[in-house]
Amino acid sequence: QVQLVESGGGLVQPGRSLTLSCAASGFLLTSYTMNWYRQAPGKERELVASIDNTGSITDYVGSVKGRFTISRDNALNMAYLQMNSLKPEDTAVYYCNARVRERGGFANYWGQGTRVTVSS
């Protein structure tokens, strides 16, 4: 079946690094823009990083620019979010999203979310 499965979250101290992974099964990521969203406690879901289907164009929310890197490996049907210099305000549940434009709108697949807690 169609699935996105996230892994890599956990408890990390400020200033440390963490890499999140998103594994797709049941479909190929080659045509999909990949996005990472996060939802922090008491806040709405926020788009933090995007990468186009070829991996040539990336975009980041200003608060993570220079610290986070989104990447993908279409041959492995995977996407990643490398998070460096983590801050307490990065604490959130992080969600992997695969999106493709279709006639009349978009098709989306979502991962289950992985929790990242940045705390000393």
Side-chain angles (χ1 to χ4, degrees):
Q1 311 285 32
V2 172
Q3 281 188 312
L4 291 176
V5 179
E6 300 163 336
S7 61
L11 175 64
V12 64
Q13 295 176 316
R16 298 288 296 275
S17 296
L18 205 60
T19 299
L20 307 182
S21 298
C22 176
S25 60
F27 73 110
L28 297 178
L29 295 182
T30 51
S31 297
Y32 288 78
T33 294
M34 299 302 298
N35 309 286
W36 287 94
Y37 289 81
R38 68 185 180 188
Q39 187 167 14
K43 298 181 72 70
E44 294 298 308
R45 187 183 64 184
E46 174 189 37
L47 176 63
V48 298
S50 299
I51 186 167
D52 78 308
N53 68 303
T54 67
S56 62
I57 303 172
T58 58
D59 194 27
Y60 303 89
V61 68
S63 59
V64 310
K65 193 172 182 66
R67 299 188 298 119
F68 289 13
T69 302
I70 187 171
S71 62
R72 65 191 299 156
D73 189 332
N74 284 347
L76 297 178
N77 227 29
M78 298 279 291
Y80 310 92
L81 185 67
Q82 174 69 46
M83 304 182 293
N84 298 325
S85 302
L86 282 162
K87 304 175 179 180
E89 52 262 44
D90 296 318
T91 295
V93 177
Y94 284 73
Y95 298 91
C96 176
N97 165 260
R99 181 176 296 136
V100 66
R101 187 184 295 273
E102 294 186 334
R103 183 172 175 266
F106 295 91
N108 285 275
Y109 296 115
W110 291 90
Q112 80 284 2
T114 185
R115 186 177 300 275
V116 173
T117 302
V118 184
S119 177
S120 59

